[in-house]
Amino acid sequence: REGPLGSIDNLCRHYKGPVQVANGTARSGVQVTVSGAHPLALLRLGLTVYFSTLNGSIPQLGKWLHAIEDVMGVPECAHASAFANAKGSGLPLHHDRFDHLFFQLVGEKKFTYAPNSHVVNPATQFSPIDGILPDWPQAYHKGFPATVDEIADRGLETVTLHPGAAMFMPAGVWHTTEEQEGESLSLVIGLRVPSRVEVLLAYLRAYTWQAPEWRQAPYGGFGPADTEAKKQEHETFATLVSDLAERMKRMPVRQAYDASAVAQSVAQDVREFPVGMRFERYIRLPSSVVRFEAIDDDKVRCVVSSGRNDVPHTAIAMTLDADAKPAIDWILATRAAFTVTELCDALMSREYD
């Protein structure tokens, strides 16, 4: 509770990222992204201000977030944000997609909450007064609350967090922060951990996308007409699925989690790539460019840049032993995916970890 997080004023002046504002009661309200307005001015309007990403704005959070991730056993899952509440403001009743840790920094904050009696592990955000997300129908297919009153009638409990207090809010638990009695500031750590469904889908995509049979367009497979083309396509698909099921029985489960971690790092902004991960095969990116800068007789600086052509390339600099340069040259010359064993065999006169 110091520096940018020492007070609401400090955070408002220090923070450079996107913000959202919200206000409402348990039964009504809205949360929207705004730009061009200073957070302090928004608070003076009596709104709740959501500082949606602190990871880049407060670098000193990095080691702490990594420590949380180590305990959770999931790389790059801890996302830091903050809520600043004006007196009387708050969010309507809802539940979140992910587990959250709340740390009360300034003032007091009241949470009113209730267990979710409709679904376990919904894996989607939802409020009866708001729109739905794509995975909502599958999660709530056995029934859902149509109004906030349906949830409230089952009983709500209230807890007040004081400065220095912490609270764990599991995903799927209904909660509202309506009608706060005074200004407050809360640090929020969202644990953006993929579901087992998402791990499986990442695994399947990484594996099946390597096979031309799975990449082929399934012409004839759709539509109500019972044609010969449709019958053939369905038989082909069933054969592929049966073969895949047998292959998956022999695959190391670890590969599924590795594939999911890589998919997450590609799909969202992360603090760093999961560098501790090892894979069966590697492939160089076609747009990558490497340059070497001599440091001394034993060391070289290797600078790798890569990315899309419509944005500045990301550059990564590494200090390597000069003996490693032939390995980098071999990787640059290859066009196909390769294993570490293949790299070592190509450089038989050298030893590499």
Side-chain angles (χ1 to χ4, degrees):
R1 289 185 288 161
E2 59 185 21
L5 294 175
S7 70
I8 296 175
D9 185 77
N10 285 356
L11 180 59
C12 289
R13 296 182 187 280
H14 180 86
Y15 182 75
K16 304 301 182 184
V19 298
Q20 297 179 8
V21 295
N23 204 0
T25 67
R27 292 164 176 79
S28 65
V30 66
Q31 182 171 330
V32 296
T33 300
V34 297
S35 60
H38 197 282
L40 282 174
L42 299 172
L43 284 167
R44 293 192 184 104
L45 292 174
L47 301 173
T48 293
V49 179
Y50 177 51
F51 303 85
S52 57
T53 175
L54 299 182
N55 293 37
S57 296
I58 308 179
Q60 53 266 44
L61 287 173
K63 290 184 178 180
W64 187 55
L65 295 175
H66 278 310
I68 294 175
E69 292 162 351
D70 289 342
V71 173
M72 296 295 104
V74 184
E76 297 294 335
C77 72
H79 179 86
S81 59
F83 278 103
N85 286 89
K87 181 179 179 180
S89 69
L91 299 178
L93 193 71
H94 68 285
H95 71 63
D96 291 313
R97 158 72 175 88
F98 299 107
D99 296 331
H100 284 83
L101 297 167
F102 288 87
F103 300 89
Q104 192 61 23
L105 304 177
V106 177
E108 299 179 351
K109 187 163 187 174
K110 180 179 65 175
F111 283 85
T112 301
Y113 64 95
N116 193 328
S117 59
H118 289 82
V119 62
V120 177
N121 298 327
T124 185
Q125 190 173 21
F126 175 51
S127 172
I129 67 169
D130 202 356
I132 63 169
L133 296 175
D135 292 330
W136 180 88
Q138 290 83 357
Y140 277 93
H141 70 280
K142 291 185 177 181
F144 61 92
T147 66
V148 170
D149 288 335
E150 287 185 39
I151 302 168
D153 289 345
R154 293 174 180 263
L156 299 173
E157 296 188 32
T158 298
V159 62
T160 299
L161 300 186
H162 303 273
M167 181 181 69
F168 174 61
M169 180 66 70
V173 171
W174 302 108
H175 59 282
T176 176
T177 55
E178 66 170 346
E179 299 177 357
Q180 295 299 312
E181 297 179 0
E183 286 192 348
S184 73
L185 176 64
S186 307
L187 173 65
V188 184
I189 306 299
L191 302 176
R192 298 181 176 181
V193 181
S195 66
R196 290 190 180 115
V197 171
E198 291 166 312
V199 172
L200 175 62
L201 292 177
Y203 189 25
L204 289 175
R205 182 176 179 83
Y207 182 74
T208 57
W209 206 255
Q210 300 177 57
E213 296 84 0
W214 280 105
R215 297 196 303 267
Q216 183 174 341
Y219 291 116
F222 302 92
D226 211 8
T227 63
E228 183 63 25
K230 183 176 182 180
K231 178 182 177 182
Q232 291 180 358
E233 169 55 32
H234 286 192
E235 290 176 351
T236 299
F237 188 83
T239 300
L240 288 171
V241 170
S242 178
D243 177 68
L244 178 62
E246 291 301 317
R247 289 173 179 269
M248 290 190 67
K249 293 178 182 178
R250 303 189 296 270
M251 293 180 187
V253 173
R254 174 187 58 81
Q255 292 183 3
Y257 292 87
D258 289 348
S260 177
V262 172
Q264 279 188 285
S265 69
V266 172
Q268 60 183 317
D269 293 331
V270 295
R271 298 185 299 284
E272 63 182 39
F273 189 81
V275 292
M277 209 167 286
R278 297 295 180 264
F279 303 94
E280 296 296 325
R281 294 187 298 165
Y282 299 83
I283 189 168
R284 62 157 292 202
L285 298 179
S287 62
S288 57
V289 177
V290 176
R291 74 174 188 272
F292 292 99
E293 301 170 357
I295 297 177
D296 54 38
D297 292 340
D298 298 322
K299 300 288 184 181
V300 294
R301 188 169 183 261
C302 177
V303 182
V304 181
S305 62
S306 183
R308 293 166 21 206
N309 288 331
D310 58 339
V311 295
H313 284 190
T314 300
I316 300 174
M318 301 169 284
T319 299
L320 306 173
D321 290 338
D323 287 343
K325 187 175 182 298
I328 303 297
D329 291 336
W330 184 89
I331 293 172
L332 291 173
T334 189
R335 296 294 182 268
F338 60 90
T339 66
V340 174
T341 299
E342 290 171 338
L343 171 60
C344 292
D345 288 345
L347 305 165
M348 292 175 11
S349 63
R350 301 176 184 272
E351 295 182 357
Y352 296 94
D353 293 331

mmCIF file of all heavy atoms in Angstrom, residues 43 53 56 78 103 122 152 161 167 172 339:
data_model
loop_
_atom_site.group_PDB
_atom_site.id
_atom_site.type_symbol
_atom_site.label_atom_id
_atom_site.label_comp_id
_atom_site.label_asym_id
_atom_site.label_seq_id
_atom_site.Cartn_x
_atom_site.Cartn_y
_atom_site.Cartn_z
ATOM 1 N N LEU A 43 -14.328 9.951 -10.924
ATOM 2 C CA LEU A 43 -14.697 9.674 -9.536
ATOM 3 C C LEU A 43 -15.539 10.803 -8.957
ATOM 4 O O LEU A 43 -16.482 10.571 -8.184
ATOM 5 C CB LEU A 43 -13.440 9.458 -8.696
ATOM 6 C CG LEU A 43 -12.740 8.106 -8.877
ATOM 7 C CD1 LEU A 43 -11.357 8.135 -8.255
ATOM 8 C CD2 LEU A 43 -13.581 6.999 -8.250
ATOM 9 N N THR A 53 -5.815 -2.752 -16.387
ATOM 10 C CA THR A 53 -4.563 -3.496 -16.459
ATOM 11 C C THR A 53 -3.436 -2.737 -15.775
ATOM 12 O O THR A 53 -3.008 -1.684 -16.248
ATOM 13 C CB THR A 53 -4.177 -3.836 -17.909
ATOM 14 O OG1 THR A 53 -2.905 -4.457 -17.941
ATOM 15 C CG2 THR A 53 -4.178 -2.595 -18.802
ATOM 16 N N GLY A 56 1.447 -3.589 -16.710
ATOM 17 C CA GLY A 56 2.465 -2.763 -17.334
ATOM 18 C C GLY A 56 2.692 -1.452 -16.628
ATOM 19 O O GLY A 56 3.787 -0.889 -16.669
ATOM 20 N N ALA A 78 -1.914 -14.579 -13.788
ATOM 21 C CA ALA A 78 -2.297 -13.560 -12.813
ATOM 22 C C ALA A 78 -2.345 -12.191 -13.480
ATOM 23 O O ALA A 78 -1.347 -11.704 -14.011
ATOM 24 C CB ALA A 78 -1.328 -13.545 -11.636
ATOM 25 N N PHE A 103 -7.804 -7.273 -2.628
ATOM 26 C CA PHE A 103 -6.989 -6.720 -1.553
ATOM 27 C C PHE A 103 -7.432 -5.281 -1.319
ATOM 28 O O PHE A 103 -7.319 -4.440 -2.217
ATOM 29 C CB PHE A 103 -5.502 -6.762 -1.909
ATOM 30 C CG PHE A 103 -4.990 -8.161 -2.152
ATOM 31 C CD1 PHE A 103 -5.043 -8.713 -3.431
ATOM 32 C CD2 PHE A 103 -4.471 -8.918 -1.124
ATOM 33 C CE1 PHE A 103 -4.585 -9.996 -3.663
ATOM 34 C CE2 PHE A 103 -4.006 -10.211 -1.346
ATOM 35 C CZ PHE A 103 -4.061 -10.743 -2.623
ATOM 36 N N PRO A 122 -19.366 -22.246 -14.066
ATOM 37 C CA PRO A 122 -19.998 -21.755 -15.304
ATOM 38 C C PRO A 122 -19.006 -21.374 -16.394
ATOM 39 O O PRO A 122 -19.358 -21.412 -17.583
ATOM 40 C CB PRO A 122 -20.797 -20.536 -14.833
ATOM 41 C CG PRO A 122 -20.157 -20.135 -13.542
ATOM 42 C CD PRO A 122 -19.667 -21.391 -12.903
ATOM 43 N N ALA A 152 -31.597 -12.987 -5.198
ATOM 44 C CA ALA A 152 -31.684 -12.356 -3.882
ATOM 45 C C ALA A 152 -32.640 -13.092 -2.958
ATOM 46 O O ALA A 152 -32.405 -13.179 -1.741
ATOM 47 C CB ALA A 152 -32.106 -10.897 -4.039
ATOM 48 N N LEU A 161 -14.817 -5.197 3.696
ATOM 49 C CA LEU A 161 -13.361 -5.273 3.732
ATOM 50 C C LEU A 161 -12.783 -3.959 4.238
ATOM 51 O O LEU A 161 -13.171 -2.883 3.773
ATOM 52 C CB LEU A 161 -12.800 -5.566 2.338
ATOM 53 C CG LEU A 161 -13.235 -6.873 1.649
ATOM 54 C CD1 LEU A 161 -12.469 -7.045 0.346
ATOM 55 C CD2 LEU A 161 -13.025 -8.059 2.562
ATOM 56 N N MET A 167 -9.704 -11.008 0.259
ATOM 57 C CA MET A 167 -10.853 -11.883 0.075
ATOM 58 C C MET A 167 -10.707 -12.658 -1.227
ATOM 59 O O MET A 167 -10.247 -12.114 -2.240
ATOM 60 C CB MET A 167 -12.151 -11.072 0.048
ATOM 61 C CG MET A 167 -13.407 -11.923 -0.116
ATOM 62 S SD MET A 167 -14.927 -10.939 -0.176
ATOM 63 C CE MET A 167 -14.730 -10.123 -1.753
ATOM 64 N N GLY A 172 -18.077 -17.690 -10.592
ATOM 65 C CA GLY A 172 -19.438 -18.190 -10.527
ATOM 66 C C GLY A 172 -20.228 -17.750 -9.316
ATOM 67 O O GLY A 172 -21.442 -17.967 -9.273
ATOM 68 N N THR A 339 13.617 -31.330 -34.260
ATOM 69 C CA THR A 339 13.788 -31.688 -32.858
ATOM 70 C C THR A 339 15.166 -31.244 -32.390
ATOM 71 O O THR A 339 16.063 -30.970 -33.212
ATOM 72 C CB THR A 339 13.662 -33.205 -32.658
ATOM 73 O OG1 THR A 339 14.759 -33.856 -33.328
ATOM 74 C CG2 THR A 339 12.336 -33.719 -33.214
#
